[in-house]
């Protein structure tokens, strides 16, 4: 794989510019999910996929677009209709990854089964936190599949959905996934799992009825019994980098890389919140370390580490990438941790400003310690974040350290400006807002962290040079699209953090949804919307939310907002299209897909026509 960055940081546009470019699209797919009716036909398609996958380059994961090109050729050759596209894509992906799955020992594979395979009428099984707890009554094939897989050492899960699978695999529990699922579930999972380079195979269900479903059982048996063989070719994967980003914040690793200055006692060692048990001077540090080790996706340190890797040969994306990362200096890791520390500090302050009671499923810092102490803990973490970089001048060089500090300081300043604008709007009596002003706030609040994470990774590898402007524009569009998507998802609530749907309205956030509604509604309804935003409005919160949602629907803002997501995503993709080297470009595509992941089911509740939405190009 070419790595064409130059020593001075210029963007080399010549080395591998023939690589395929991305086409942003969101399109109707319901007509592409037919299952070939006869077993003979299914066998023929699978054999063709096998034959082609034996020949393709497996050094990097194929994107969905690249696979679709191959799959369309197969369907054309076999004179089969386009309706089988989704099913054939799953077959093709499975054959592409077959050798990689074989290279993972069975006890490091996850076998995923859907509960809709169960005998719906008489199944005695209950559900627990790990999914369906099959009682092996023998009335359906789940017990047999499960028994066979467990005998071989597999971890087995009877559950639905890609989020849980993604979490399990990133946490380091398993290294490959084999499964059975309907085409709807597989379609959602395929982009994320494939692009991340996670070895996976699947046998699609023969229907998507969600009840008493069936599957080609001999294929499932065959898939489970794939023998361990580690001679497979290497395929690039982001898995090691994702895991490394999470591991940096595991309590032991956190303290190894960044030893405490004040005391040894962890908050987790004492009952309660540590007051009276931990030395008051050490308590601020203890709370900060505790909060740093708490949840989150760790996407910012991932971006820094992955960018650094992309510009230094991409070794961390190879099969033994975990070893590569182990050998990286702690200075590189501290820089990646710095950006997460700023993020966590901003969350402590955000929670105060929004008076949120829960974060990561636990009480927020200010709820436990009071507002003044929480402000101070956030401030302490900002100091920590700068220290993580400033102490590395001896190993990284004074110029590198200064450049990274500069990047971080700029992001910090912009974020505060965006947050400031938001708070001032929230406290103002005039709730007028133009879409462009809402988007400006988003660009300040959300984008700088992505920009700083990438630029830090670049600077660790080489001078930033000509990367600065494209990375800035890429981050701007990515951040804005991400924030609009968040606004849409706010209408679905957040059970984990016990937040109700429509929290942005009650919290007085200046969202682009509000701005779009004000632009589209007739004057009387604009006045009504502005009135509903008043904190002292006499209606109950639930009634206010319901009425605002109704007005938003009338103004068609959910659909308009989703089109804005498409537009900014397309712009980010266009910038990534021009980036060299290929490793960095591929990372940017991955960031777009993973950060802008669209939970279609949730969005569909909000915008029923989403699945039938036209291509974004024509929108
Ligand atoms: S075998 Fe398991 S999943 Fe199937 S019907 Fe019996 S208890 Fe339910």
């Amino acid at each position: 794989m070419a790595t064409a960055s130059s020593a001075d940081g210029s963007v080399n546009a010549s080395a591998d510019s023939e690589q395929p470019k991305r086409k942003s699209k969101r399109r109707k797919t319901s007509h592409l999910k037919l299952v070939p009716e006869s077993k003979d036909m299914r066998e023929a398609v699978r054999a063709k996929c096998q034959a082609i996958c034996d020949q393709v380059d497996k050094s990097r994961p194929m994107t969905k677009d690249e696979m679709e090109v191959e799959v369309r050729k197969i369907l054309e050759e076999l004179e089969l209709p386009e309706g089988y596209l989704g099913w054939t894509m799953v077959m093709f992906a499975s054959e592409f990854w077959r050798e990689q799955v074989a290279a993972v020992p069975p006890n490091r594979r996850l076998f995923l089964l859907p509960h809709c395979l169960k005998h719906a009428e008489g199944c005695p099984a209950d559900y627990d936190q790990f999914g369906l707890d099959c009682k092996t009554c023998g009335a359906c094939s789940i017990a047999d599949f499960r028994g066979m897989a467990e005998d071989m050492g597999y971890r087995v899960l009877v559950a639905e959905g890609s989020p849980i699978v993604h979490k399990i695999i990133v946490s380091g529990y398993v290294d490959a996934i084999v499964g059975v699922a309907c085409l709807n579930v597989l379609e959602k999972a395929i982009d994320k799992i494939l692009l991340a380079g996670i070895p996976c195979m699947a046998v699609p269900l023969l229907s998507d009825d969600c009840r008493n479903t069936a599957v080609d059982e001999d294929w499932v048996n065959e898939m489970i019994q794939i023998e361990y063989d580690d001679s497979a070719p290497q395929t690039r994967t982001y898995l090691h980098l994702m895991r490394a980003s999470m591991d940096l914040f595991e309590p032991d690793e956190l303290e190894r890389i960044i030893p405490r200055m004040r005391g040894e006692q962890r908050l987790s060692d004492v009952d309660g919140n540590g007051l009276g048990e931990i030395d008051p001077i050490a308590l601020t540090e203890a709370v900060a370390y505790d909060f740093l080790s708490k949840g989150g996706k760790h996407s910012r340190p991932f971006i820094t580490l992955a960018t650094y890797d992309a510009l230094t040969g991409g070794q961390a994306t190879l099969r033994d990438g975990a070893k590569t990362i182990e050998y990286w200096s702690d200075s590189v890791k501290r820089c990646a941790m710095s950006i997460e520390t700023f993020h966590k500090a901003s969350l402590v302050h955000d929670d105060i400003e929004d008076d949120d009671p829960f974060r990561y499923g636990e009480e927020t810092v200010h709820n436990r310690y009071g507002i003044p102490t929480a402000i101070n803990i956030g401030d302490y973490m900002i100091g920590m974040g700068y220290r993580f970089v400033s102490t590395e001048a001896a190993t990284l060089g004074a110029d590198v350290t200064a450049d990274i500090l500069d990047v971080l300081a700029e992001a910090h300043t912009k974020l505060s400006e965006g947050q400031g604008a938001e708070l001032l709007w929230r406290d103002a009596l005039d709730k007028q807002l133009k879409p462009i002003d809402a988007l400006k706030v988003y660009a300040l609040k959300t984008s700088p962290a992505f920009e700083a994470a990438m630029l830090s990774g670049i600077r660790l590898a080489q001078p930033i040079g000509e990367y600065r402007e494209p990375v800035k524009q890429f981050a701007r569009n990515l951040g804005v699209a991400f924030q609009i998507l968040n606004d849409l998802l706010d209408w679905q609530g957040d059970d984990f953090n016990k937040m109700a749907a429509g929290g942005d309205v009650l919290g007085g956030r200046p969202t682009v949804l509000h701005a779009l509604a004000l632009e589209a509604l007739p004057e009387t309804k604009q006045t009504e919307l502005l009135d509903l935003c008043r904190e002292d409005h006499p209606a109950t919160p639930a009634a206010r939310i319901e009425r605002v949602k109704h007005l938003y629907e009338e103004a068609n803002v959910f659909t308009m907002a989703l089109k804005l997501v498409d537009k900014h995503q397309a712009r980010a993709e266009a910038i990534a299209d021009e980036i060299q080297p290929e490793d960095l470009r591929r990372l940017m595509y991955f960031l777009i897909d993973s950060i802008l992941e669209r939970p279609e089911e949730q969005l569909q509740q909000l915008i029923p026509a989403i699945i039938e939405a036209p291509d974004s190009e024509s929108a």
Side-chain angles (χ1 to χ4, degrees):
M1 190 174 288
T3 53
S5 56
S6 60
D8 65 356
S10 63
V11 184
N12 179 350
S14 64
D16 54 359
S17 52
E18 74 283 358
Q19 286 297 322
K21 305 283 170 69
R22 290 259 298 202
K23 263 208 245 138
S24 176
K25 58 177 179 287
R26 177 170 52 83
R27 59 174 186 198
K28 176 176 167 180
T29 57
S30 52
H31 66 298
L32 303 175
K33 292 181 192 156
L34 303 177
V35 179
E37 298 79 21
S38 73
K39 185 71 182 284
D40 285 350
M41 204 190 285
R42 295 198 289 276
E43 293 280 13
V45 176
R46 186 170 78 148
K48 195 80 191 157
C49 291
Q50 251 165 7
I52 291 175
C53 285
D54 283 346
Q55 309 297 323
V56 300
D57 170 21
K58 298 213 175 83
S59 64
R60 58 171 177 80
M62 282 177 94
T63 64
K64 208 168 163 183
D65 287 347
E66 289 166 346
M67 275 192 191
E68 186 174 328
V69 170
E70 296 299 330
V71 164
R72 284 190 180 277
K73 278 190 225 158
I74 291 172
L75 293 178
E76 219 176 286
E77 240 176 83
L78 296 175
E79 296 180 355
L80 291 173
E82 188 193 26
Y84 299 144
L85 187 81
W87 187 89
T88 311
M89 290 278 283
V90 174
M91 283 299 106
F92 193 91
S94 296
E95 292 310 322
F96 179 90
W97 285 102
R98 179 180 286 274
E99 290 166 292
Q100 304 294 333
V101 169
V104 174
N107 65 357
R108 296 286 302 164
R109 297 179 200 163
L110 175 72
F111 179 47
L112 192 68
L113 277 167
H115 40 72
C116 59
L117 263 181
K118 74 181 183 185
H119 181 242
E121 288 72 27
C123 175
D126 293 323
Y127 287 89
D128 62 18
Q129 69 202 88
F130 302 110
L132 186 81
D133 183 18
C134 169
K135 302 290 181 215
T136 60
C137 78
C140 78
S141 49
I142 287 181
D144 292 341
F145 292 147
R146 185 182 183 138
M148 182 190 295
E150 280 177 346
D151 285 349
M152 287 185 67
Y154 280 80
R155 321 287 175 102
V156 181
L157 195 64
V158 186
E160 292 288 3
S162 57
I164 186 167
V165 173
H166 197 255
K167 217 177 234 178
I168 287 171
I169 202 150
V170 171
S171 68
Y173 192 63
V174 292
D175 298 319
I177 303 166
V178 301
V180 176
C182 71
L183 288 176
N184 287 326
V185 168
L186 289 169
E187 185 190 40
K188 273 181 254 158
I190 206 162
D191 248 350
K192 195 165 183 175
I193 292 176
L194 290 184
L195 204 71
I198 298 168
C200 61
M201 289 184 74
V203 179
L205 290 168
L206 295 174
S207 69
D208 57 2
D209 299 342
C210 303
R211 201 174 155 81
N212 291 330
T213 49
V215 65
D216 285 315
E217 297 190 4
D218 54 333
W219 285 12
V220 180
N221 290 338
E222 187 191 297
M223 179 174 69
I224 295 170
Q225 292 178 64
I226 290 175
E227 279 183 28
Y228 174 53
D229 172 6
D230 70 350
S231 62
Q234 302 217 39
T235 304
R236 301 260 176 189
T237 172
Y238 289 117
L239 196 53
H240 309 302
L241 286 156
M242 286 190 231
R243 285 180 179 166
S245 309
M246 288 194 57
D247 289 349
L248 291 177
F249 296 91
E250 286 299 314
D252 290 344
E253 186 65 353
L254 177 62
E255 305 207 18
R256 185 195 69 74
I257 300 178
I258 303 160
R260 292 180 195 229
M261 294 189 296
R262 290 289 178 192
E264 299 298 308
Q265 247 182 326
R266 291 182 186 181
L267 206 57
S268 56
D269 295 337
V270 299
D271 293 331
N273 57 11
L275 289 168
E277 292 190 73
I278 295 179
D279 175 352
I281 293 181
L283 186 57
T284 301
E285 180 186 68
V287 177
Y289 270 72
D290 181 69
F291 192 63
L292 258 184
S293 67
K294 289 271 155 47
K297 293 180 183 159
H298 302 102
S299 53
R300 291 157 187 82
F302 166 79
I303 294 171
T304 300
L305 293 183
T307 305
Y308 171 71
D309 180 61
L311 292 176
T312 52
Q315 297 298 304
T317 57
L318 296 176
R319 193 180 300 149
D320 54 0
K323 281 201 193 95
T324 300
I325 299 168
E326 247 174 62
Y327 289 123
W328 284 351
S329 81
D330 282 347
S331 298
V332 167
K333 294 174 188 171
R334 285 189 192 109
C335 288
M337 293 167 87
S338 165
I339 190 101
E340 181 73 3
T341 309
F342 287 119
H343 172 59
K344 286 271 166 67
S346 76
L347 293 182
V348 174
H349 287 167
D350 265 8
D351 288 342
I352 297 169
E353 287 154 3
D354 300 341
D355 198 18
D356 284 329
F358 294 97
R359 172 70 66 182
Y360 306 133
E362 294 180 14
E363 258 190 311
T364 42
V365 177
H366 72 279
N367 255 21
R368 288 186 95 184
Y369 298 95
I371 290 174
T373 302
I375 291 173
N376 187 57
I377 288 165
D379 289 345
Y380 179 88
M381 291 171 78
I382 292 168
M384 269 175 105
Y386 282 116
R387 260 193 78 243
F388 291 173
V389 180
S390 64
T391 51
E392 304 311 302
T395 44
L396 295 176
D399 52 346
V400 174
T401 310
D403 286 350
I404 294 175
L405 285 172
D406 188 39
V407 157
L408 293 172
E410 188 177 334
H412 186 179
T413 317
K414 282 187 188 161
L415 192 146
S416 301
E417 285 174 342
Q419 180 73 355
E422 183 174 310
L423 293 172
L424 288 168
W425 188 89
R426 187 180 75 178
D427 295 338
L429 291 177
D430 180 4
K431 298 295 183 195
Q432 291 289 350
L433 184 68
K434 292 194 166 38
I436 185 72
D437 292 325
L439 295 180
K440 275 186 199 163
V441 171
Y442 293 180
L444 285 167
K445 262 198 73 175
T446 316
S447 306
F450 295 134
E451 181 184 337
M454 277 193 84
L455 291 180
S456 297
I458 291 170
R459 188 61 189 100
L460 285 165
Q462 62 180 70
I464 292 171
E466 291 174 26
Y467 281 117
R468 191 176 296 275
E469 194 51 30
V471 165
K472 182 181 180 165
Q473 293 307 327
F474 174 79
R476 183 186 175 91
N477 284 292
L478 186 67
V480 168
F482 173 69
Q483 193 58 58
I484 302 172
L485 210 46
N486 261 354
D487 292 354
L488 288 167
L489 296 177
D490 175 66
W491 285 90
Q492 300 303 310
D494 174 358
D495 290 344
F496 185 54
N497 286 312
K498 304 177 178 53
M499 284 155 82
D504 285 344
V505 171
L506 297 179
R509 278 198 57 233
T511 64
V512 77
L513 304 179
H514 176 82
L516 288 168
L518 285 178
E519 215 174 48
L521 287 169
E523 209 173 321
T524 49
K525 292 194 170 160
Q526 283 179 34
T527 309
E528 185 188 356
L529 179 61
L530 291 169
D531 198 37
L532 284 161
C533 291
R534 276 184 18 236
E535 234 181 301
D536 60 351
H537 193 279
T540 63
R544 276 169 70 199
I545 292 289
E546 200 184 321
R547 185 59 193 154
V548 170
K549 188 175 182 193
H550 183 80
L551 290 172
Y552 281 6
E553 281 166 350
E554 196 179 318
N556 201 27
V557 298
F558 296 126
T559 305
M560 285 196 281
L562 198 58
K563 284 182 182 170
L564 276 175
V565 175
D566 288 343
K567 186 169 117 182
H568 287 278
Q569 176 170 342
R571 285 180 183 168
E573 284 173 347
I575 294 161
D577 283 345
E578 302 306 318
I579 288 287
Q580 301 291 349
E582 187 198 344
D583 285 349
L584 186 57
R585 185 167 71 247
R586 198 162 292 285
L587 171 66
M588 290 164 87
Y589 293 149
F590 175 68
L591 293 178
I592 293 169
D593 285 330
S594 52
I595 290 170
L596 301 184
E597 189 198 3
R598 296 158 192 229
E600 298 287 348
E601 266 164 38
Q602 290 179 41
L603 289 175
Q604 202 177 358
Q605 285 172 26
L606 207 57
I607 314 165
I610 179 176
I611 297 299
E612 308 303 326
D615 283 7
S616 57
E617 286 100 329
S618 59

